[in-house]
Amino acid sequence: MEEIVNKVANSALEVFDLEDYYPKGIRVQIDISQWFLEGFLLKEKDFRAHLQEHDWSQYQDQYVAINCSTDAIFPAWASILVAVQLAPFAKKIVNGTIEDLDSALYEEILSKIDYSVYDNKPVIVKGCSKKPVPMRAYILAANYLQPFARSIMYGEACSAVPLYKSPRK
């Protein structure tokens, strides 16, 4: 019987798995429309009273996205005021959805990686993920890898889609 050889493991192919960089921590989304009259009208005095009564400590060391789920038109200071209340407790605060929050987290993380280890190597950006990796993270990873990698592919080693090949030098 012939021995099975893992050709992928023996190749020069480098796997860049965004899941490896997924920051651990609780992510929550705060819908500020909960403090608007009927979800649509911001009455400043009532809004400020709701914020004063809210237990902000429940967001200790959490990643928080602030958004409005209704079509309410409200001043920018409302979201900023919520962020100010959260600041002593939350690890990170963004305006938007949980996906926007994850994108912001990946932007920070990916900007600090030393991509020179991928210099002149074929790289595959792993496509399947058990964690919610936003599309923005894949695009950023490709952009950061491009100046270094000989080639960039997406997916799995057995079914990779070519994305980039550096010009011959």
Side-chain angles (χ1 to χ4, degrees), residues 109-155:
I109 293 164
L110 294 177
S111 70
K112 296 174 183 169
I113 295 173
D114 177 12
Y115 294 92
S116 66
V117 297
Y118 301 102
D119 196 35
N120 204 31
K121 294 181 180 175
V123 179
I124 184 164
V125 177
K126 187 173 180 214
C128 295
S129 177
K130 293 178 181 90
K131 295 176 180 155
V133 178
M135 182 54 62
R136 174 91 177 116
Y138 288 101
I139 292 169
L140 283 168
N143 286 337
Y144 282 122
L145 287 164
Q146 195 169 349
F148 298 96
R150 182 172 65 222
S151 63
I152 302 172
M153 294 165 281
Y154 170 83

Side-chain angles (χ1 to χ4, degrees), residues 49-70:
H50 287 300
L51 297 186
Q52 286 292 354
E53 295 165 7
H54 192 74
D55 177 17
W56 298 103
S57 66
Q58 67 182 302
Y59 305 104
Q60 185 68 49
D61 297 324
Q62 295 181 9
Y63 300 109
V64 183
I66 302 169
N67 80 335
C68 181
S69 66
T70 67

Side-chain angles (χ1 to χ4, degrees), residues 59-112:
Y59 305 104
Q60 185 68 49
D61 297 324
Q62 295 181 9
Y63 300 109
V64 183
I66 302 169
N67 80 335
C68 181
S69 66
T70 67
D71 291 331
I73 297 172
F74 57 94
W77 62 259
S79 294
I80 299 167
L81 187 56
V82 172
V84 166
Q85 298 296 320
L86 280 165
F89 305 102
K91 274 187 187 177
K92 175 112 180 134
I93 307 162
V94 300
N95 184 55
T97 63
I98 296 291
E99 185 174 344
D100 295 325
L101 176 61
D102 279 332
S103 291
L105 291 170
Y106 270 107
E107 284 179 32
E108 281 181 21
I109 293 164
L110 294 177
S111 70
K112 296 174 183 169

